[in-house]
Each structure stands twice: as structure tokens, then as C-alpha cells.
Amino acid sequence: MNPFTEKSPRQKLHLHYLDGLRGIAALYVVAVHIEPSLGEKLPRFWLLFQNTLRYGAFSVVIFIVLSGYVLMLPVTRSQSGFVSGGLLEYFKRRSRRILPPYYATLLGCLLLAFAIFLLEKFTNFQWDEVAGKGPFFPYFSLIDVLSHLFIVHNFTGSTYMTINPPMWSVATEWQLYFLFPLLLLPIWRRFGLLAVVMTGFGLGILPFYILNDFSMATSSWFIGLFTLGMAAAEIGFSQEPKLIAFRKSLPWSMMAIIFAIVAFITEWKRLGLPIWIGQSFFGSSAACLFIYCTQFVISGKKLPHVLGVVEHPWVITLGAFSYSLYLTHGPVITMLRYFLYTLNMTPFMFATTSYLMGVVLSLLIAYWFYLIFERPFMSNFNRCK
């Protein structure tokens, strides 16, 4: 028997660590978007804490790599090279998963903005930009609304940060869903794994240098990060002898750590490096981590203690409604800030209350939103048959 062959796992896989990682990343984004300052200098403790919240973009990187990984898993495990059920069924599944919560959030933001408009028109209330500083804006144009309706608001810098700014990455991921079966999979089937990764980064990085505004708005280099997720799934589950040997021979955990360290170094703004470099290294770290963790799942072993938190039941539950949390936290923490601003708190109390209440309220509302607008439309997102 060839030592580089394995029995292909056909049983259902429950990759709980993916939910855990998604949940932690979403919660970190909430903390990043909380604005704890009243314009006055906060105590040194708060300044040090805020310095740890500079890497919200890395959470989005995890979402994108994870998306490529999860979409590629059934393709790899089926050994067909095609999405299950055909293109039409694939797009139906993606639409059911993404669009109902997205449009529910958009409608909620528009209604909130309309309520603020009515208050300004018929009362003495005027929106205070300092009090309302946060990831929600009640002022926008018809173009902003239309671009969000058609999920192309990330095409220009003037629309992608309006209404509910965190929603820009939903548009980018939605567009990647089309590239996956129509472009990336055909390249993978015809030319192989290395070719699709090189194509992804080529298509993603080239606009950065020739169409910089478009590239920055769309984060075009995310195409390459998405293909890293595809590669991680293929390496983790392929039955090709070369890839099995590759999977078994490399120190994936150490590589994940090294790539993460390099990502934080290259992200340092004083170096003046393009943004795609640090994010690409972090995406490589995430891909290596996925391969490493999946090896434990396949062999029926528990993750090392240092990674055990991502499989804690609470963290897995958080991951289950992380998409709702990501969508809804912007207006929640912005309106909370507006309320707290009226209470004339000290800067320390304002910051403390902003984080404590902001996180708790975001979680509560997101879970309620998930039960109504997300869970009824969900399929087995992290379960591969």
C-alpha cells in the first residue's frame, strides 16, 4: 500500500473550530468599532487597550479565507471538481445564506435614519456628529441606497462607508461567490492549485497599482486571500499522493505563527508597505491554521489547549450568530454611544460603559436578529457531507 494514500473521510464533518474562529473575529470587530473617546484624553490604561484594537481588518481577512475554505470543502471531498447540485442550486444556497439578514439589516438602518430625519424635521432634535460617532450614518444619498440594494456599494470610496460601514465586506464576499464557480474553480480544474492561487493574487493585486481607488474600496486583493482558503481545503482533504505528502511534511502550526508575526510587522504603518502585503501574510497564517486544526478533527483528536477556546460551547454558539453580530453591531453601538453621551459621564466611565454595554447589547440584539432573520434561512454551513 502506498504510504502516501489515506482513506478518504466521507462521514459528516463538524468543524466546530471554524465557528469558534468566526465568532471571536466578529466579537473583536465589535470592540474595534466602539468609539470610547469624548474628545478628551483617556487614562493610559485605555490607550494601551485601544492599541490592541488596531487590527480589525485582520478579522475580515479570517472571514474571507474561511469563506474560500468552506466553499471549497464539498468540492474537494466530492472529488467531482464542481459545486454540488449545479450552479443554480449553488447560487440559491448562497443567496439564502447571505441576503435575508443583509436586507433586513439594510432596511433597519434605513428606518432608523428615517426616524432621525423625522425627529430633526418636527422636533428640536439635531443629530450630533460627536455623539453619533460610530459605524452608522443617518445621512446618505439615493446612490448610496441603490448601491447597497444591488450589493455593489464597495465599488467606490464614496459609497462603501455609508449607512452601515461594516457591510462593505459583505459586498466583497458576495462578489467572490460568483468568481468561485465561474472563474476560480475552472482554473483549478484545468491547471491546478498553484495556478488558481497565482491567478487570484494576480487579479487581486493588479488593480491596486492601476486602479487604486477601486482596489482600495473593493479590497481586490481579497481574491487572493479567498484562494488561500481554497488551497487550505484542498491540501487538507486531497487524496492525491503529492498533496498528502505535502500535508504531512510541513509544520503547519509553526508556519501559522511565523506568517502571523510577519503580518503584524508588515502591517506597521511606519514601514509604509502596501496594505495587501500584511493582509496576505495574515491570510496565509489563517490558511495554515485551518490545515493544522483540520488534521486534529479528521484524526478524532482534540485541539491543543492553547486553541481549545475556539471549540468551547459558548464560543461555538457565538460563531453561529456571528454574521448577525457583524451586520447589526454598527447601529447598535452608535445609538448606545449617543445615549451615553447625554449622561455627562467622566471620560473613564464613558469608555468603560461603552465597552461593557456595547458588547453586551450588541450580542443580545444580534442573537434576537439571528433567530428571526438568519437561522430560518440557514443550511449546514460548516457541515460537509
Side-chain angles (χ1 to χ4, degrees):
M1 181 177 179
N2 191 325
F4 293 130
T5 61
E6 295 178 341
K7 184 178 179 180
S8 177
R10 288 288 175 261
Q11 72 277 15
K12 294 180 180 179
L13 282 181
H14 302 265
L15 303 180
H16 295 304
Y17 77 87
L18 294 179
D19 269 330
L21 286 171
R22 189 187 295 111
I24 292 173
L27 188 61
Y28 181 78
V29 169
V30 174
V32 168
H33 286 156
I34 292 174
E35 297 284 351
S37 175
L38 289 169
E40 302 177 36
K41 190 173 182 180
L42 292 170
R44 183 173 180 81
F45 164 78
W46 281 116
L47 296 178
L48 292 174
F49 176 66
Q50 285 184 279
N51 284 336
T52 67
L53 300 176
R54 296 171 40 226
Y55 306 101
F58 283 173
S59 288
V60 181
V61 168
I62 291 176
F63 298 146
I64 297 300
V65 178
L66 192 151
S67 182
Y69 186 83
V70 169
L71 291 183
M72 188 65 178
L73 273 181
V75 176
T76 297
R77 300 189 78 226
S78 69
Q79 299 182 343
S80 68
F82 294 87
V83 294
S84 62
L87 278 178
L88 182 59
E89 186 61 30
Y90 163 81
F91 286 123
K92 285 182 179 179
R93 291 195 303 268
R94 291 295 89 208
S95 297
R96 281 177 57 85
R97 181 68 184 91
I98 295 298
L99 298 185
Y102 171 84
Y103 283 122
T105 304
L106 180 59
L107 178 61
C109 290
L110 296 180
L111 290 175
L112 180 58
F114 183 65
I116 292 171
F117 166 78
L118 292 179
L119 286 174
E120 289 187 324
K121 188 172 183 64
F122 297 108
T123 72
N124 293 328
F125 175 83
Q126 291 295 312
W127 181 263
D128 188 312
E129 292 188 0
V130 176
K133 184 179 181 182
F136 165 74
F137 299 100
Y139 304 123
F140 41 80
S141 67
L142 178 61
I143 295 298
D144 296 329
V145 176
L146 292 176
S147 65
H148 279 74
L149 284 173
F150 291 104
I151 322 181
V152 293
H153 52 280
N154 62 329
F155 279 10
T156 68
S158 62
T159 59
Y160 86 118
M161 283 296 176
T162 59
I163 305 179
N164 186 352
M167 292 172 72
W168 72 266
S169 67
V170 178
T172 296
E173 187 165 350
W174 175 249
Q175 291 143 22
L176 286 170
Y177 289 162
F178 289 85
L179 286 180
F180 175 63
L182 299 178
L183 176 65
L184 300 177
L185 276 185
I187 293 173
W188 169 74
R189 287 194 299 265
R190 181 66 178 84
F191 300 104
L193 194 56
L194 181 60
V196 76
V197 173
M198 291 178 63
T199 300
F201 275 98
L203 290 175
I205 295 172
L206 187 61
F208 184 86
Y209 294 99
I210 62 175
L211 298 169
N212 186 259
D213 290 342
F214 174 81
S215 178
M216 290 299 294
T218 60
S219 293
S220 60
W221 57 91
F222 279 9
I223 302 174
L225 305 185
F226 185 89
T227 62
L228 289 177
M230 293 174 60
E234 173 72 354
I235 292 170
F237 288 92
S238 175
Q239 294 303 298
E240 294 183 13
K242 289 183 179 180
L243 286 180
I244 292 175
F246 189 59
R247 175 166 70 235
K248 290 184 174 181
S249 61
L250 294 182
W252 298 105
S253 60
M254 184 57 63
M255 291 170 61
I257 293 172
I258 292 172
F259 280 133
I261 292 173
V262 175
F264 283 105
I265 293 174
T266 54
E267 190 274 344
W268 197 33
K269 290 180 173 54
R270 290 187 181 181
L271 294 179
L273 297 175
I275 187 174
W276 65 265
I277 293 179
Q279 293 187 10
S280 296
F281 275 114
F282 199 79
S284 300
S285 174
C288 291
L289 180 63
F290 295 169
I291 297 171
Y292 176 72
C293 291
T294 299
Q295 289 177 322
F296 282 86
V297 176
I298 292 175
S299 62
K301 299 178 181 178
K302 290 186 177 181
L303 293 179
H305 290 301
V306 69
L307 294 173
V309 64
V310 298
E311 290 191 321
H312 190 283
W314 288 6
V315 179
I316 293 172
T317 299
L318 173 62
F321 66 95
S322 58
Y323 181 45
S324 291
L325 178 62
Y326 186 81
L327 287 173
T328 61
H329 76 274
V332 171
I333 60 177
T334 301
M335 297 312 296
L336 173 65
R337 174 186 169 86
Y338 210 107
F339 169 74
L340 295 178
Y341 190 83
T342 64
L343 301 182
N344 296 319
M345 295 179 169
T346 64
F348 177 81
M349 283 301 300
F350 184 84
T352 303
T353 309
S354 293
Y355 279 110
L356 291 178
M357 290 190 63
V359 169
V360 171
L361 196 59
S362 294
L363 290 172
L364 291 174
I365 292 180
Y367 188 70
W368 167 81
F369 182 91
Y370 158 79
L371 293 177
I372 299 175
F373 298 108
E374 184 179 0
R375 191 169 69 171
F377 303 96
M378 289 180 67
S379 59
N380 294 330
F381 192 59
N382 275 342
R383 190 172 297 171
C384 307
K385 297 182 179 179

